[in-house]
Amino acid sequence: MITHGTDKKQSSVLKSISKMTFLPAVTLFILFVILNIFITRRFLTSGFMIGFFTANAPLVLIAIGVSVVLIGGGIDISLGAITCLVNVVFISLVGNGWSFGSAAIVGLVIALVCGVINGIIVGFFRVPPLLATFATTSVFGGIALWIMPTPGGSAPMGLINWYNSLFLGLPAPIFIIVAALLIWVAIKYSPIRIWLYSMGRDEKKAYMSAVPVKWTQLFMYSFSGLLAGIGALCLTGSIGSGDPLAGLPLALSAIAACVIGGISLSGGKGSILGSVFGALFLGLVITTVLSAKINPFYQDFFSGVIILVGVIGATLLSRKFMNKA
Amino acid sequence: MKLTCENISKTFGNITALKNASLSVAEGEIRALLGGNGSGKSTIAKIIGGAVSPDTGAVKIRDKVIKTKSPSNTKKHGIVITSQELGLFTNLSVEENLCICQLPVTRGLFVNKKEIKKRAFEILKSLKLEHLLDKEISELAPNQQYMVEFAKALVQQPDILIIDEITSALYREDVEVVREIIHALKAKGCTVIFISHRMSEIYSICDTVTVMKNGEIVGTYKINEKNENELLSLMTGRDIKDSDLESENNSLVYENTKTILNIKDLVLPRFDSKINIEVKKGEIIGIAGLQGHGQSEFLKTVFGLQGGIRLEIDGTEKHITSPIKAVKSGLAFVSGDREKEGVFGERSVSENLTAVNNLVLKKTRVNEMKLLKDYGVVFGSTRQQITTLSGGNQQKVVIGRWTSSMPLVLLADDPTKGIDVQARRDIHKIFRDLADAGSAVMMVSSDDEELVELTKHTHLSRIIVMYEGNIVKTLMGKDITKENIIAYSMPKGGGNK
Amino acid sequence: MSRNGLSLKGLTNLKTFFPSIIASVALLIIGQILSPGFADISNIGNLLTVASILAIATIGQALIITSGGEGIDMSLGAIMSMGALIGPMISKGQSGRIILMIAALVLIGGIIGFINGFGSQIIKIPPLVMTLIMASVVNGLTLGYTNGQPSVTIPPALLGVGKRVFGPVRVLLIIAILAIVLMELVLRKTKFGKLVYLVGSNRNAAKLAGTNVNIVAIASYVLGGIIAALAGMFLVGYAGSGQLQMANDYTLLSIAAVVIGGTKLTGGKGTLVGGALGAIVLVLLTSILVAIGMPAGVRSLIQGIILLVILVILYIKAPKLRQ
């Protein structure tokens, strides 16, 4: 039909670049690494790296979880509340003499159950995901606050020590992130990947194509719930105690990380890799603001502004280069 | 009987889509479903396909009632439905799209990519489309996308295949391939239900035809039992004669008529083209051509939807940078996609009708009642929500939104898509009245016959045929025939690959 | 044509109001049973005053949601908190500077709203994300401006919003009613208001009809920002003291009130009166829970469950995948 005079080679290169939705996030990440080499003292030391990954692993994990939901055309803003809930349950159980292992398992089961609840409300009761997870945020967060009205308790020293150490020469949280990514890789080779991307693009069409829409929705919210649970254990290792509110901001930061990472909130587009770099970039923003000797009361403001600029940049970039098709 | 539908009824809100419809189709039979819009043919297709649940009634295969709980459920019984609403995903590869309904897995867990590739290649090869395998869905031309949609149904090895109007976007060569495949399926005992608006296809492909009207089955006939006019009469409940379509044409008037819109060297995006045309006062211009050759883009560009453009409107040069400027300069645009680009679904008939007049142009009040009555809109109150009207009536309201402000030029992009015959004729009359009142109308249609019908009745009219973004032919007077349109749509040496 | 449509429209809307009216009455009775004195006229006056603040905030939220395009304002609570803390600082506690305070809040709220609108409409960042990020920016700004220790001296004139006018009716209630009537008139009678409904109902159609979709949508965000900043000012005037992020709950509450009030979340349809009724339901519910001594966690839990139940009931009739 319509033939274009463009060089085929060039267009195929452009095409494959345009498929790399994670490029803006990776670029931002690298830029901020370079920036921090200059402004942050001891940036490239293992001590700093441990601190960095310890603090940011929860965000990375939750970003991985929420990515899957976003790709499938949903959204989950309850992950912060799930994180809080698992954190306080874990600390309470440990405080009551439970072993680390059994408390962790109970925590993960609770996280999974929370995800399943989200999945049922969205998948089977057809409540729009934003509203559904908005309501469950109030439910999960409420339970967390009920269990532990004020911060307290302490995590087992074993967890804190391992989590804040080098393991096989790398910061320990990296292994948890890699494990989560491996789960995703397994999913990628199953039909679920095709189901997720098709649903994200058009739920109704996917249903007509015999995609098990409800079950895939149940899966994706359960998956994100479980990752929030793992993130909560990391958060516990990082803050060393229970806090009914500490995890709440993670829900929104994770979504911002995904957007910067090239995942479209309208679904069906983007990659997990982008979200990981988006989350690491957000972590670097905080490092940068802390290093920049800004009036401490204005640090929140500046990190907010940098995130805003990052999201604007990512959005503009992806519109310019990714929507050629 | 292979497939039987018994006394199926379905209502959507207060609209009855099907009333006690019963239908039975034999093994190896190719059955056409024919009817105007709202006649219920798509609804019954979707019920058989499991996408819509019937209020009452049952679907049986070989006299056994089957559950039609979901598309995946009916697919287990070998029922496959392929429809005009494309089910392709632009973010998946062609082969993934083809196999999405039944993904082959190894060890019960992982997708078997080799098998997907193999199946996709085999099916595309049988359609002579194997070159599409490595392409992106978004790179495919519309007709190719419909062929892939058709292939997606074939991959599932249907026992009962329902084809809901996919052929309206296909070229003749494609339709020929589809015809061959359908007949090969028939030889294997597959039952086919074929929904189309194109009479010629129905006659060349189908064995029998079931006519539907207002959600009821009018009757089922052998295909050679009835001619076109008889079928049309059954569909509409009125006598149709060829003499209805009389022609009175006078091309001499052309020279002396004032130019209302002068388009000079218009470049269409995606095409390497230059369009020049002078649109006369009181003229109706039909824009024909194969799908995807720039007809829609042409109208959209004129309306300022593709960036700034200079036009001479009513003698003065205007720089149209957006629809806002276009509307203020006297242009109007009616989209064929009512739901997405036409109606304000949550708002009343009145608000829909007066949007342009009262809020954008601030002209005198519209006499809403009179206009709605003149246009034959069936409605209860002007305050009722517009989506409670039928599709044709909704589109009339959308058109009334523009005509009531007397635009200089009305651009209509396939405005009667998916609208029944009667409403379609009403809309043609509205356009003609508008032209008689001194405006000009430019209309794209995917239906060549419609363009012939519209322009035939108008004394100042022509059809322009577009190919690859250029006007390749202007047809006037007696030259306006379906055959000519088709001939010039596919110039020598051009056409399909 | 018949322009007496307002009353008729009101009648058809009554149906969407019934659930909240019934819920309010039921909650009043439950409250009276659980905590005698709950349904006293003076307590009802107090409850209505608290609901007034939420109802005013809900006007802005409803406007933004009605303007469509997945419009939502997650920064409403942050803007309110900012209004509550920065407003009194600008007034320096003097009633004479109250006009200056209002002008400053209108300006700041408007600018924040404009950034929200510009980011979501022109740059096309999904409104949810855009306003969420703005929430953290605005909270950060308030923290920085107040140096972490808001020293709120509220001008006596602002404290007057909590005064009784007659019987149990306080000034705030009257302000809320006036604000709702005014905005409802703007929505139904002005060109801007009518366009908000059309733009909210179908962006593409509105664009093709020659309306300036972006300006209408951005204006909704600007108005929403202004209303939120002023609502924060009223909140601090009624509360009498301020603390950081004091109004952050209002984001969720305003959305819940809009949902309960029957406003269509995809835009194009909704009433402010409905939102106000939703606000009353929410305030009644919270008050009962406080009255019977429920801790904050349980209150949030119960609110969440009730919102879930409402959502499930609302969407049980929504179009299914299968019709």
Side-chain angles (χ1 to χ4, degrees):
Chain A
M1 319 276 95
I2 308 123
T3 46
H4 289 284
T6 44
D7 186 6
K8 259 206 171 156
K9 226 180 216 167
Q10 195 193 337
S11 74
S12 78
V13 169
L14 266 178
K15 209 166 84 184
S16 47
I17 287 180
S18 77
K19 276 190 170 173
M20 294 185 222
T21 49
F22 53 84
L23 268 186
V26 173
T27 315
L28 280 172
F29 175 75
I30 294 172
L31 280 176
F32 269 70
V33 166
I34 296 169
L35 177 68
N36 276 287
I37 290 175
F38 292 107
I39 67 165
T40 302
R41 289 177 58 205
R42 306 180 344 105
F43 181 67
L44 291 175
T45 61
S46 64
F48 178 86
M49 282 301 154
I50 291 176
F52 179 77
F53 280 99
T54 304
N56 290 299
L59 178 63
V60 174
L61 290 166
I62 293 171
I64 294 173
V66 81
S67 300
V68 171
V69 176
L70 292 171
I71 289 172
I75 191 165
D76 189 345
I77 58 173
S78 73
L79 295 177
I82 296 177
T83 308
C84 296
L85 179 58
V86 174
N87 167 256
V88 300
V89 167
F90 177 79
I91 291 292
S92 304
L93 291 179
V94 169
N96 285 332
W98 287 50
S99 73
F100 163 77
S102 42
I105 288 170
V106 171
L108 292 180
V109 169
I110 288 178
L112 192 63
V113 169
C114 291
V116 169
I117 292 174
N118 283 334
I120 290 174
I121 297 169
V122 175
F124 292 84
F125 289 107
R126 316 293 319 148
V127 177
L130 175 64
L131 294 168
T133 55
F134 171 64
T136 53
T137 299
S138 187
V139 173
F140 304 148
I143 300 174
L145 207 56
W146 188 12
I147 295 174
M148 194 182 276
T150 48
S154 59
M157 279 321 285
L159 170 68
I160 299 176
N161 284 339
W162 180 80
Y163 184 72
N164 291 280
S165 70
L166 287 179
F167 186 70
L168 300 176
L170 287 169
I174 287 186
F175 291 92
I176 302 174
I177 295 173
V178 170
L181 284 174
L182 284 177
I183 303 177
W184 167 248
V185 170
I187 292 167
K188 248 185 116 165
Y189 285 96
S190 77
I192 292 176
R193 178 187 69 91
I194 294 176
W195 291 340
L196 280 173
Y197 278 89
S198 67
M199 274 163 48
R201 187 48 56 94
D202 193 324
E203 201 177 71
K204 209 148 194 171
K205 278 185 191 173
Y207 178 73
M208 286 300 291
S209 299
V211 171
V213 173
K214 294 173 182 180
W215 294 102
T216 312
Q217 273 171 341
L218 181 61
F219 163 81
M220 67 198 200
Y221 289 98
S222 311
F223 178 81
S224 67
L226 183 64
L227 264 106
I230 303 173
L233 296 180
C234 291
L235 181 75
T236 312
S238 171
I239 62 177
S241 63
D243 185 336
L245 302 173
L248 279 181
L250 288 171
L252 309 180
S253 308
I255 293 170
C258 293
V259 173
I260 294 172
I263 284 183
S264 158
L265 282 177
S266 45
K269 203 175 115 188
S271 68
I272 304 292
L273 194 63
S275 314
V276 172
F277 278 99
L280 292 175
F281 162 70
L282 291 185
L284 280 178
V285 167
I286 292 166
T287 309
T288 313
V289 170
L290 287 176
S291 306
K293 300 195 183 69
I294 294 167
N295 171 358
F297 290 118
Y298 274 104
Q299 281 171 357
D300 283 5
F301 172 68
F302 281 104
S303 59
V305 169
I306 296 174
I307 293 169
L308 182 60
V309 171
V311 169
I312 290 174
T315 313
L316 290 178
L317 265 180
S318 73
R319 191 141 22 108
K320 192 152 191 180
F321 295 107
M322 315 303 170
N323 285 350
K324 291 285 178 197
Chain B
M1 274 296 152
K2 173 81 153 284
L3 172 75
T4 318
C5 300
E6 271 180 7
N7 298 322
I8 293 184
S9 295
K10 176 72 185 175
T11 55
F12 295 105
N14 46 11
I15 298 159
T16 307
L18 278 179
K19 261 182 279 178
N20 277 327
S22 296
L23 186 72
S24 49
V25 194
E27 178 127 358
E29 183 178 344
I30 304 173
R31 168 74 56 88
L33 276 189
L34 190 61
N37 257 87
S39 62
K41 52 194 188 338
S42 275
T43 308
I44 202 164
K46 281 182 181 153
I47 286 175
I48 300 169
V52 171
S53 60
D55 296 338
T56 57
V59 178
K60 291 180 178 175
I61 292 182
R62 297 197 176 85
D63 299 322
K64 264 196 202 146
V65 176
I66 61 157
K67 280 187 190 163
T68 55
K69 243 172 50 195
S70 70
S72 35
N73 217 305
T74 53
K75 277 181 206 297
K76 283 183 197 134
H77 294 280
I79 301 174
V80 175
I81 174 166
T82 174
S83 80
Q84 60 201 13
E85 299 144 28
L86 273 178
L88 301 179
F89 301 96
T90 48
N91 55 349
L92 297 176
S93 68
V94 168
E95 63 225 42
E96 282 166 349
N97 267 293
L98 285 172
C99 296
I100 190 168
C101 300
Q102 285 169 335
L103 290 166
V105 285
T106 53
R107 276 169 275 152
L109 203 57
F110 299 112
V111 172
N112 187 341
K113 292 198 170 174
K114 267 188 202 153
E115 177 67 20
I116 287 189
K117 203 147 217 148
K118 197 177 125 232
R119 283 190 200 174
F121 179 75
E122 278 169 9
I123 202 75
L124 287 178
K125 195 157 183 246
S126 72
L127 294 165
K128 304 184 185 92
L129 290 171
E130 59 270 30
H131 59 281
L132 299 183
L133 203 54
D134 299 323
K135 296 222 166 149
E136 305 269 324
I137 293 289
S138 53
E139 288 175 319
L140 304 183
N143 68 314
Q144 292 173 326
Q145 293 194 11
Y146 278 92
M147 286 304 271
V148 172
E149 176 73 31
F150 183 57
K152 184 177 156 187
L154 297 179
V155 168
Q156 301 169 58
Q157 300 176 319
D159 188 33
I160 295 170
L161 176 63
I162 303 166
I163 302 170
D164 186 1
E165 268 192 80
I166 62 156
T167 50
S168 56
L170 297 181
Y171 297 165
R172 279 183 305 171
E173 295 86 347
D174 300 328
V175 175
E176 191 50 36
V177 175
V178 170
R179 195 183 70 86
E180 280 169 23
I181 299 237
I182 290 178
H183 281 139
L185 286 173
K186 173 190 164 79
K188 278 193 254 169
C190 177
T191 297
V192 180
I193 292 178
F194 186 81
I195 302 175
S196 171
H197 276 133
R198 290 184 180 170
M199 289 288 191
S200 58
E201 284 170 8
I202 289 176
Y203 278 100
S204 77
I205 293 177
C206 303
D207 304 324
T208 49
V209 55
T210 295
V211 179
M212 297 186 70
K213 195 179 96 188
N214 301 332
E216 289 175 294
I217 307 268
V218 176
T220 299
Y221 315 92
K222 288 230 163 59
I223 194 69
N224 39 25
E225 216 175 291
K226 300 269 175 200
N227 68 26
E228 266 186 49
N229 281 345
E230 284 169 328
L231 286 178
L232 270 174
S233 301
L234 288 167
M235 270 167 66
T236 56
R238 290 182 306 174
D239 269 346
I240 306 277
K241 283 177 251 129
D242 282 330
S243 56
D244 281 358
L245 312 168
E246 257 170 45
S247 146
E248 47 160 307
N249 219 308
N250 190 353
S251 48
L252 282 175
V253 197
Y254 246 91
E255 313 279 297
N256 305 320
T257 315
K258 193 180 147 207
T259 298
I260 207 167
L261 168 68
N262 194 354
I263 300 169
K264 280 186 221 152
D265 292 338
L266 179 104
V267 181
L268 296 186
R270 279 201 317 123
F271 294 100
D272 188 21
S273 65
K274 268 192 185 156
I275 295 180
N276 285 290
I277 187 167
E278 284 184 24
V279 182
K280 305 283 186 181
K281 197 171 156 65
E283 183 180 28
I284 291 187
I285 298 181
I287 304 173
L290 300 171
Q291 292 234 330
H293 280 262
Q295 302 93 307
S296 283
E297 282 94 334
F298 175 36
L299 292 190
K300 285 181 176 154
T301 308
V302 171
F303 200 60
L305 282 163
Q306 320 262 22
I309 169 184
R310 281 181 197 286
L311 298 170
E312 201 185 300
I313 301 173
D314 211 11
T316 49
E317 173 141 332
K318 294 271 167 67
H319 189 210
I320 309 282
T321 49
S322 67
I324 303 167
K325 282 252 176 85
V327 173
K328 300 235 153 100
S329 312
L331 301 182
F333 187 94
V334 176
S335 162
D337 195 338
R338 264 193 326 278
E339 235 169 84
K340 279 206 188 119
E341 302 182 335
V343 297
F344 299 108
E346 284 77 22
R347 311 312 304 171
S348 68
V349 172
S350 165
E351 282 170 278
N352 268 282
L353 188 57
T354 58
V356 171
N357 225 338
N358 292 0
L359 297 177
V360 181
L361 294 173
K362 299 189 196 107
K363 291 202 174 176
T364 49
R365 266 272 180 64
V366 188
N367 187 342
E368 296 173 32
M369 280 300 184
K370 182 175 182 304
L371 188 142
L372 293 170
K373 271 197 190 114
D374 286 352
Y375 287 9
V377 179
V378 183
F379 70 107
S381 143
T382 53
R383 271 192 302 274
Q384 88 190 80
Q385 201 173 326
I386 185 148
T387 42
T388 55
L389 303 184
S390 75
N393 284 323
Q394 288 183 28
Q395 187 71 323
K396 285 182 197 169
V397 172
V398 172
I399 291 170
R401 179 189 299 163
W402 291 108
T403 52
S404 59
S405 67
M406 282 308 291
L408 294 169
V409 183
L410 178 84
L411 311 166
D413 182 10
D414 219 347
T416 60
K417 192 160 71 187
I419 284 176
D420 65 82
V421 180
Q422 184 56 45
R424 184 178 275 216
R425 293 200 170 164
D426 291 345
I427 288 172
H428 292 173
K429 183 170 178 305
I430 295 171
F431 286 170
R432 260 180 245 120
D433 291 347
L434 187 67
D436 287 342
S439 301
V441 175
M442 298 175 83
M443 178 172 123
V444 168
S445 174
S446 50
D447 184 346
D448 299 335
E449 236 159 310
E450 178 183 20
L451 290 176
V452 174
E453 200 187 312
L454 173 72
T455 47
K456 250 188 183 174
H457 287 278
T458 317
H459 63 280
L460 198 61
S461 65
R462 59 188 144 149
I463 284 181
I464 56 175
V465 184
M466 293 186 65
Y467 181 77
E468 292 199 345
N470 282 304
I471 298 175
V472 288
K473 181 72 190 173
T474 303
L475 299 169
M476 289 167 102
K478 280 190 198 125
D479 291 339
I480 298 181
T481 61
K482 202 181 155 191
E483 289 69 30
N484 274 341
I485 292 177
I486 293 170
Y488 287 107
S489 298
M490 288 180 264
K492 279 173 209 137
N496 315 317
K497 274 177 197 160
Chain C
M1 286 274 327
S2 48
R3 284 291 139 187
N4 55 348
L6 205 63
S7 58
L8 257 161
K9 265 179 200 158
L11 272 179
T12 48
N13 281 335
L14 265 185
K15 251 191 271 173
T16 57
F17 298 157
F18 276 144
S20 3
I21 293 171
I22 293 166
S24 304
V25 174
L27 282 169
L28 261 184
I29 296 168
I30 295 171
Q32 176 67 22
I33 295 167
L34 292 176
S35 151
F38 189 80
D40 282 4
I41 196 78
S42 67
N43 194 45
I44 291 179
N46 292 341
L47 293 171
L48 284 178
T49 313
V50 178
S52 298
I53 300 165
L54 179 55
I56 293 170
T58 303
I59 296 174
Q61 188 70 267
L63 183 67
I64 288 168
I65 289 177
T66 306
S67 76
E70 298 177 358
I72 197 162
D73 189 359
M74 301 298 279
S75 64
L76 183 141
I79 302 174
M80 266 183 85
S81 303
M82 182 213 70
L85 299 179
I86 294 185
M89 286 175 81
I90 292 168
S91 75
K92 296 183 176 160
Q94 299 161 15
S95 295
R97 288 169 65 96
I98 214 159
I99 298 294
L100 179 72
M101 169 176 74
I102 290 173
L105 288 182
V106 166
L107 184 69
I108 304 172
I111 290 173
I112 297 169
F114 178 79
I115 298 172
N116 275 335
F118 189 86
S120 58
Q121 306 306 311
I122 307 288
I123 301 177
K124 302 211 183 306
I125 297 170
L128 174 79
V129 173
M130 182 65 209
T131 54
L132 274 177
I133 299 174
M134 274 313 276
S136 69
V137 172
V138 172
N139 276 331
L141 185 69
T142 313
L143 179 69
Y145 190 84
T146 58
N147 275 327
Q149 295 153 320
S151 56
V152 178
T153 328
I154 298 154
L158 185 55
L159 287 168
V161 295
K163 285 217 176 93
R164 284 165 195 259
V165 186
F166 54 88
V169 177
R170 294 171 196 259
V171 178
L172 252 179
L173 180 59
I174 293 169
I175 293 175
I177 290 171
L178 284 177
I180 288 166
V181 170
L182 181 72
M183 276 308 294
E184 194 86 49
L185 281 174
V186 167
L187 279 176
R188 301 210 178 277
K189 293 292 168 190
T190 67
K191 181 181 161 183
F192 165 73
K194 290 175 182 177
L195 283 176
V196 167
Y197 281 126
L198 294 189
V199 164
S201 174
N202 188 338
R203 295 244 148 156
N204 294 326
K207 189 181 172 197
L208 288 178
T211 61
N212 201 325
V213 172
N214 287 336
I215 285 184
V216 174
I218 293 174
S220 304
Y221 280 90
V222 171
L223 259 177
I226 293 171
I227 293 168
L230 295 178
M233 179 187 81
F234 292 130
L235 173 69
V236 81
Y238 180 70
S241 65
Q243 63 201 52
L244 281 169
Q245 310 203 352
M246 67 188 291
N248 280 16
D249 286 351
Y250 278 79
T251 305
L252 305 195
L253 289 172
S254 64
I255 296 169
V258 167
V259 174
I260 297 171
T263 291
K264 201 165 175 185
L265 281 157
T266 47
K269 200 176 187 181
T271 63
L272 302 177
V273 178
L277 289 171
I280 293 174
V281 171
L282 286 171
V283 167
L284 281 171
L285 179 65
T286 314
S287 307
I288 292 176
L289 296 174
V290 171
I292 58 175
M294 286 288 172
V298 182
R299 289 207 300 270
S300 153
L301 168 66
I302 293 177
Q303 279 170 354
I305 290 175
I306 288 177
L307 183 58
L308 266 183
V309 171
I310 294 171
L311 287 172
V312 169
I313 293 169
L314 269 181
Y315 283 93
I316 213 126
K317 281 185 289 181
K320 298 265 156 36
L321 285 171
R322 183 174 140 83
Q323 289 168 306

